[in-house]
């Protein structure tokens, strides 16, 4: 099997596998190859970058410096969030309303978490209500198995 990048008259580039180079030539000559985007049958081989295997004596590419430390910090932050959520009350889509009421002193302050639209979250921030996005998405209690 061989793969070619093909290009139609409309400049669409697409990949097609053939049994052999001869099979491509035969199918193209019979008009059997069509662009999947526009249906044009006037296709030609597109320029392809050669697949060059790396030398056998090369060292495997390593993660960028600091990647492991970043992953560890992210995991610690996610763990901290999980502990805080255990102490917090799920308020669902009423989050913005309840957070605002606590900020204005209408209800006692308590740790809560829930859902807010981007517009609601921006409004809370503009009003000075202390809110923060969650690092790891929370599955609502009613949606859990």
């Amino acid at each position: 099997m061989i793969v070619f990048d093909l290009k139609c008259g409309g400049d669409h580039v697409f990949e097609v596998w053939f049994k052999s180079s001869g099979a491509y030539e035969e199918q193209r000559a019979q008009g059997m190859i069509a662009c999947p985007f526009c249906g044009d049958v006037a296709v030609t081989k597109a320029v392809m970058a050669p697949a060059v295997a790396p030398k056998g004596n090369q060292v495997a590419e390593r993660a960028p410096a600091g990647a492991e430390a970043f992953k560890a910090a992210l995991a610690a932050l996610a763990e901290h969030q999980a502990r805080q959520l255990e102490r917090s009350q799920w308020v669902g889509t009423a989050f913005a309303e309840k957070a605002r009421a606590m900020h204005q002193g209408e209800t006692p302050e308590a740790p809560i978490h829930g859902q807010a639209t981007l517009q609601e979250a921006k409004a809370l921030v503009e009003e000075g209500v202390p809110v923060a996005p969650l690092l790891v998405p929370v599955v609502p209690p009613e949606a859990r198995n």
Side-chain angles (χ1 to χ4, degrees), residues 115-126:
Q115 295 174 323
T117 64
L118 181 58
Q119 184 179 11
E120 290 172 328
K122 284 181 178 181
L124 288 171
V125 169
E126 288 172 4

Side-chain angles (χ1 to χ4, degrees), residues 52-99:
V52 179
K55 286 184 172 181
N57 64 353
Q58 287 185 333
V59 176
E61 190 174 316
R62 296 187 180 152
E68 289 303 317
F70 177 75
K71 284 173 38 179
L74 197 58
L77 188 56
E79 187 177 317
H80 175 73
Q81 174 184 302
R83 284 194 309 271
Q84 295 304 314
L85 288 174
E86 289 173 3
R87 301 179 197 141
S88 179
Q89 178 190 4
W90 170 259
V91 294
T93 56
F95 176 79
E97 176 187 327
K98 292 192 182 276

Side-chain angles (χ1 to χ4, degrees), residues 23-33 41:
Y24 157 75
E25 294 296 341
E26 186 178 307
Q27 290 178 29
R28 187 184 63 79
Q30 294 176 11
M32 296 173 62
I33 306 169
V41 293

